[in-house]
Amino acid sequence: MPKPRLPFSFFLLAAALVLPALSASAQENDTLAKIKASGAITFGYRESSFGFSYLDGNLKPVGYSIEICKRIVEAVKSELRMPAIEIRYQAVTSANRIPLVQNGTVDIECGSTTNLVERQKLVAFSPDIFRYNVRMLVKADSGIRSIADLQGKTVVTTTGTTSFRLLREADKGKNLEVTSLGGKDHSDSFLLVESGRAQAFVLDDILLAGQLANARNPKDFLITGESLRTENQSLMFRKDDPAFKAIVDRVVSGMMKSGEMETLYGKWFTSPIPPKGININYPLNAETKEAFTNPSSKGI
């Protein structure tokens, strides 16, 4: 017996229901249209990712990532033929940064986020703006110099980062008996080591260097241990928005090819920075030089 055929009007109705949903989804991810309509863009910033994105003495967000985002805004102004775009700021943490980008609260996160392939299912990324190694910060007199030395110790990582997972995945970390703590941000994690509540803080070595440079007694601490992984930092924004990503990629790659990115790097990582005039003193490494030579948002 032949199957009954659905009337053509059924398919028209189905299309009428589906197309508005697809259109609404596309509009939600159209960052340029959102900026055009509101006259503003919202930067997500970190409060204590020193060098990258943090608060200066006037509680104003500053840093390497912030400056790159401002260059992107200039390109957006040109693209949309807008004489001015207001920059609004929204503080984010490692735990809430992805949801705030996804739900539209933040248009571009100008912080210190690792571009992971697993995160690309949720958000999009710029070409890498920095590459670094994940290591640990300890007190200089702790005797801790390797992963094996963490046996029986308390280790802190910032909530929402991949650091503790990387420690567990390391060959020498699989059988460690350690107590884990989570800091709400990088400064909070550092304070747990400074106060003695934790013996090691595992994180990107450049961010550890920023905490070390801002410590009351920097010589009391050191960054040590095997590299758990070489990772990459990128700017983060909503996925499925090819027009906005094209501008981001063009600006970031252009800054790298022109040498502007390396100059900006020197300003924030090898020179005195506000508010205390401290030099993080983290020279451009080979991994970041390669990122500047061959821009990529592939992720790890």
Side-chain angles (χ1 to χ4, degrees):
M1 181 177 178
K3 295 181 180 179
R5 298 180 65 182
L6 294 172
F8 183 65
S9 59
F10 172 84
F11 295 102
L12 289 177
L13 176 62
L17 293 173
V18 171
L19 287 176
L22 292 175
S23 177
S25 177
Q27 289 175 1
E28 288 175 3
N29 288 345
D30 192 339
T31 303
L32 296 180
K34 183 172 180 282
I35 294 170
K36 184 75 172 178
S38 67
I41 184 171
T42 301
F43 287 2
Y45 73 92
R46 301 299 295 271
E47 295 183 329
S48 59
S49 289
F50 297 112
F52 291 97
S53 179
Y54 66 101
L55 296 174
D56 67 8
N58 298 314
L59 301 182
K60 176 184 175 183
V62 295
Y64 176 70
S65 300
I66 298 289
E67 288 209 41
I68 298 171
C69 283
K70 287 182 176 179
R71 286 282 283 104
I72 292 168
V73 172
E74 291 303 310
V76 171
K77 284 164 61 175
S78 177
E79 179 77 15
L80 297 179
R81 298 179 182 176
M82 296 176 65
I85 293 175
E86 178 190 358
I87 297 176
R88 299 170 181 168
Y89 293 94
Q90 169 67 50
V92 300
T93 66
S94 296
N96 70 16
R97 55 191 168 180
I98 291 177
L100 289 179
V101 168
Q102 288 182 294
N103 69 19
T105 301
V106 167
D107 294 313
I108 182 166
E109 192 243 2
C110 316
S112 53
T113 295
T114 304
N115 178 4
L116 300 176
V117 171
E118 63 192 67
R119 287 176 175 167
Q120 292 177 9
K121 298 173 184 177
L122 305 173
V123 290
F125 293 93
S126 72
D128 301 342
I129 61 171
F130 204 102
R131 291 178 183 165
Y132 53 88
N133 291 294
V134 179
R135 300 175 70 202
M136 59 185 172
L137 179 145
V138 301
K139 286 187 175 180
D141 62 1
S142 67
I144 298 172
R145 297 295 183 271
S146 71
I147 294 173
D149 295 332
L150 294 176
Q151 179 64 32
K153 304 293 194 301
T154 298
V155 177
V156 62
T157 57
T158 303
T159 301
T161 67
T162 59
S163 302
F164 195 75
R165 188 184 76 187
L166 292 176
L167 176 62
R168 278 302 189 202
E169 289 173 352
D171 288 340
K172 294 182 180 179
K174 291 176 180 176
N175 299 315
L176 284 178
E177 294 180 6
V178 298
T179 300
S180 64
L181 291 178
K184 65 180 179 62
D185 58 29
H186 304 325
S187 290
D188 185 46
S189 296
F190 175 77
L191 286 173
L192 290 173
V193 175
E194 188 176 44
S195 66
R197 289 183 58 197
Q199 284 71 59
F201 174 19
V202 179
L203 190 68
D204 317 343
D205 59 2
I206 176 57
L207 295 176
L208 293 176
Q211 293 295 324
L212 186 60
N214 281 276
R216 284 175 290 184
N217 298 295
K219 293 182 180 179
D220 291 349
F221 306 89
L222 60 85
I223 298 169
T224 187
E226 308 91 316
S227 171
L228 298 179
R229 183 163 72 177
T230 298
E231 292 196 336
N232 48 355
Q233 285 184 5
S234 305
L235 308 175
M236 179 172 62
F237 44 95
R238 283 179 289 281
K239 64 178 298 186
D240 300 325
D241 189 353
F244 188 64
K245 179 168 174 54
I247 292 177
V248 171
D249 288 359
R250 184 173 74 243
V251 171
V252 172
S253 298
M255 292 176 70
M256 291 172 176
K257 292 175 182 176
S258 70
E260 183 181 357
M261 195 72 83
E262 188 165 344
T263 300
L264 196 61
Y265 182 102
K267 173 181 177 180
W268 291 101
F269 300 110
T270 60
S271 304
I273 61 174
K276 300 178 182 179
I278 291 171
N279 189 340
I280 294 177
N281 194 25
Y282 191 98
L284 190 66
N285 58 28
E287 292 88 350
T288 303
K289 285 182 181 178
E290 201 281 329
F292 289 177
T293 302
N294 300 294
S296 170
S297 55
K298 182 178 179 181
I300 57 173

